[in-house]
């Protein structure tokens, strides 16, 4: 089995953010088996005992060298899953590398070289998970360098592995703003996967789809023409549909997410586009919203079957649909969507994840916006009250967050105060409106020294409202 297939089979699919943030970022890669075709059964004590035995042997055979390197990697994986100290994990990978390099120095061996590349790949994955992207890239470079001689010999599995490494390195380049490098890695990865499709027709189609989604996201950040962006997403969709038609139903959720990617790409382009008539504008946005509806239909079915990840995606898809309707001033329809979100995902308010609670609070907030635009001010006030209640809960001891983590959610709470202030003002309760503005301004004070433009904008908005009502 290809090394990259083993690692990639354990990847967590990217969970898009709230509202319109459905673009891919750098992947965080969980670890998997490295040597052999079977996922290892971790026996930490047994692995440590075997390492000690092998280390005592002065002159090891090639087979014993391989076993020692394998044992180091297996232990590193076990420690990783136990969330052990990073230094200890990295030391084990270094030991495995040294053993394999020593073996290679005695004579070139394709399988030893492949396993050396694997060690670099897993070390890159570890750095990626620990958010040290620079070192992750260095290790991906080393993995490619180790496997390149095999690729040059026409080894299809090595080409496949290098393609996978470039996919993930490209995602890091994208996240760090090195767009040209990202674009080259994605192009290389796609062509390589297509060249070795015969190795594993299903796997290569899956990774070609992954590359296509990554390319679409990158093209959006590069402000490339809409048709190029859509072509990338359409290619991904075709590949996922082919996989689903071949019985790979686990890819339905990914198909739904690509539909969301495509619709938000169209949506962002149409917002900045001039139309000849209101009828043409409506027709374009109706087509965009049809993609959202299709995605919701898929995710709703998957969520009903017990897929928790699909349920979160469904929540985000509804929220995106509601936000789009709000943006194009379809206030009644938007309000209906957010009320459906509020009723259908009430358990999110009690979730242990503060981000999910904050996103659920945003549903109340957006419903409040729709109510304000429909002149339903009492209803809007009640919805803003609920949003503030949930955001204040995040700031309480209900969530075991340190000060830095808690501060991440402060700007949203300050904005909620501004929104409720507007509702109070619309009901001629200016005292309450001014109080909310003051609360929001006070909340932001500990964050002002960071020089964050978003904080400055929120504070300026609150101060302008306060001055307007003074």
């Amino acid at each position: 089995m290809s090394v990259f297939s083993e690692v990639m089979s354990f990847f967590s699919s990217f969970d898009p953010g709230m509202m319109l943030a459905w673009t891919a970022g750098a992947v965080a890669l969980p670890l998997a088996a490295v040597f052999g075709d079977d996922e290892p059964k971790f026996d930490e004590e047994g692995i440590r005992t075997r390492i000690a035995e092998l280390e005592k042997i002065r002159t090891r055979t090639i087979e014993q060298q391989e076993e020692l390197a394998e044992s180091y990697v297996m232990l590193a994986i076990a420690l990783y899953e136990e969330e052990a100290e990073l230094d200890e994990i990295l030391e084990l990978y270094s030991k495995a590398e040294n053993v394999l390099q020593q073996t290679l120095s005695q004579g070139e061996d394709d399988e030893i070289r492949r396993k050396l590349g694997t060690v670099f790949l897993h070390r890159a994955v570890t750095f990626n998970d620990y958010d040290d992207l620079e070192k992750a890239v260095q290790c991906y470079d080393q993995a490619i360098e180790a496997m390149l001689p095999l690729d040059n010999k026409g080894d299809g599995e090595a080409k496949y592995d290098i393609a996978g490494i470039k996919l993930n390195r490209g995602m890091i380049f994208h996240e760090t703003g090195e767009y040209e490098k990202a674009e080259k890695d994605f192009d290389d990865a796609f062509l390589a996967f297509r060249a070795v499709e015969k190795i594993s027709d299903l796997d290569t189609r899956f990774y070609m789809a992954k590359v296509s989604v990554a390319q679409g996201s990158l093209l959006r950040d590069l402000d490339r023409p809409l048709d190029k962006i859509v072509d990338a997403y359409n290619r991904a969709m075709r590949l996922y549909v082919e996989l689903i038609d071949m019985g790979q139903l686990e890819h339905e959720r990914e198909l739904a997410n690509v539909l969301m990617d495509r619709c938000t790409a169209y949506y962002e382009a149409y917002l900045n586009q001039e139309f000849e008539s209101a009828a043409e504008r409506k027709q374009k946005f109706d087509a965009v919203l049809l993609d959202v509806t299709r995605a919701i239909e898929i995710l709703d079915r998957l969520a009903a079957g017990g897929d928790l990840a699909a349920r979160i995606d469904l929540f985000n898809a509804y929220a995106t649909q509601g936000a789009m309707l709000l943006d194009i001033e379809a206030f009644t329809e938007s309000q209906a969507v957010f009320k459906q979100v509020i009723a259908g995902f009430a358990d999110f308010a009690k979730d242990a994840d503060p981000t999910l609670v904050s996103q659920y609070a945003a549903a109340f907030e957006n419903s409040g916006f729709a109510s304000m635009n429909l002149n339903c001010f009492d209803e809007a006030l009640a919805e803003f009250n609920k949003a503030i209640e949930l955001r204040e809960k995040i700031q309480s001891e209900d969530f075991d967050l340190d000060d830095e983590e808690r501060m991440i959610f402060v700007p949203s709470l300050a904005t909620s105060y501004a929104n409720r202030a507007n509702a109070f003002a619309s009901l001629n309760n200016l005292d309450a409106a001014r109080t909310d503005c003051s609360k929001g301004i006070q909340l932001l004070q500990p964050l002002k020294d960071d020089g964050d433009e978003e904080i400055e904008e929120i504070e300026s908005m609150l101060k302008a409202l306060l001055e307007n009502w003074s």
Side-chain angles (χ1 to χ4, degrees), residues 372 377 384 417-427 433 465 469:
M372 288 285 287
F377 302 126
F384 291 140
Y417 279 125
N419 293 328
R420 189 172 68 176
N422 272 311
F424 276 130
S426 298
L427 292 166
L465 291 173
W469 295 324

Side-chain angles (χ1 to χ4, degrees), residues 209-379:
K210 283 283 189 186
V211 176
S212 299
V213 173
Q215 286 174 318
S217 175
L218 177 63
L219 292 171
R220 289 168 75 170
D221 285 344
L222 287 169
D223 292 324
R224 295 289 170 79
L226 178 62
D227 61 338
K228 299 293 184 185
I229 297 168
V230 171
D231 280 349
Y233 289 140
N234 284 346
R235 184 171 63 241
M237 289 172 61
R238 284 195 299 272
L239 288 162
Y240 282 134
V241 168
E242 288 174 8
L243 288 167
I244 293 165
D245 286 345
M246 288 187 283
Q248 303 290 301
L249 300 181
E250 66 269 22
H251 299 302
E252 287 186 303
R253 178 175 165 239
E254 286 153 323
L255 174 60
N257 285 337
V258 180
L259 278 163
M260 294 302 303
D261 284 327
R262 187 176 73 173
C263 88
T264 54
Y266 273 124
Y267 175 81
E268 290 165 2
Y270 291 161
L271 279 180
N272 300 315
Q273 185 174 320
E274 294 291 333
F275 295 100
E276 292 184 3
S277 66
E280 182 189 5
R281 181 176 186 272
K282 183 179 184 305
Q283 182 183 22
K284 293 288 189 182
F285 280 110
D286 282 349
V288 169
L289 290 165
L290 184 59
D291 267 357
V292 185
T293 302
R294 289 169 176 162
I296 286 173
E297 288 173 354
I298 295 171
L299 294 169
D300 191 33
R301 176 167 45 78
L302 295 176
D307 188 329
L308 297 179
R311 187 162 185 260
I312 292 176
D313 285 350
L314 177 62
F315 169 74
N316 283 326
Y318 273 126
T320 299
Q321 181 187 48
M324 287 179 174
L325 289 165
L326 191 62
D327 235 14
I328 62 174
E329 300 183 354
F331 300 125
T332 301
E333 294 87 344
S334 175
Q335 186 185 56
V337 169
F338 283 116
K339 287 188 180 301
Q340 185 175 359
V341 171
I342 289 166
F345 298 88
D347 55 306
F348 283 13
K350 300 176 182 177
D351 200 271
D353 182 353
T355 300
L356 200 57
V357 175
S358 180
Q359 290 175 340
Y360 185 65
F364 281 100
E365 202 130 33
N366 282 310
S367 185
F369 291 144
S371 296
M372 288 285 287
N373 281 283
L374 293 169
N375 296 323
C376 301
F377 302 126
D378 286 317
E379 193 170 348

Side-chain angles (χ1 to χ4, degrees), residues 8-16 27-28 30 206 210 240 250 253-254 257 307 309-310 313:
M8 283 293 289
S9 67
F10 281 74
F11 280 13
S12 295
S13 54
F14 176 74
D15 283 330
V27 276
F206 169 67
K210 283 283 189 186
Y240 282 134
E250 66 269 22
R253 178 175 165 239
E254 286 153 323
N257 285 337
D307 188 329
D313 285 350

Side-chain angles (χ1 to χ4, degrees), residues 168-184:
N168 291 289
R169 187 178 67 177
M171 286 188 172
I172 293 179
F173 285 145
H174 185 181
E175 181 171 318
T176 57
E178 297 180 80
Y179 293 159
E180 289 184 8
K181 290 182 179 179
E183 189 167 24
K184 185 177 187 311

Side-chain angles (χ1 to χ4, degrees), residues 202-214:
L202 297 180
D203 281 352
T204 48
R205 288 187 192 207
F206 169 67
Y207 296 127
M208 286 163 67
K210 283 283 189 186
V211 176
S212 299
V213 173

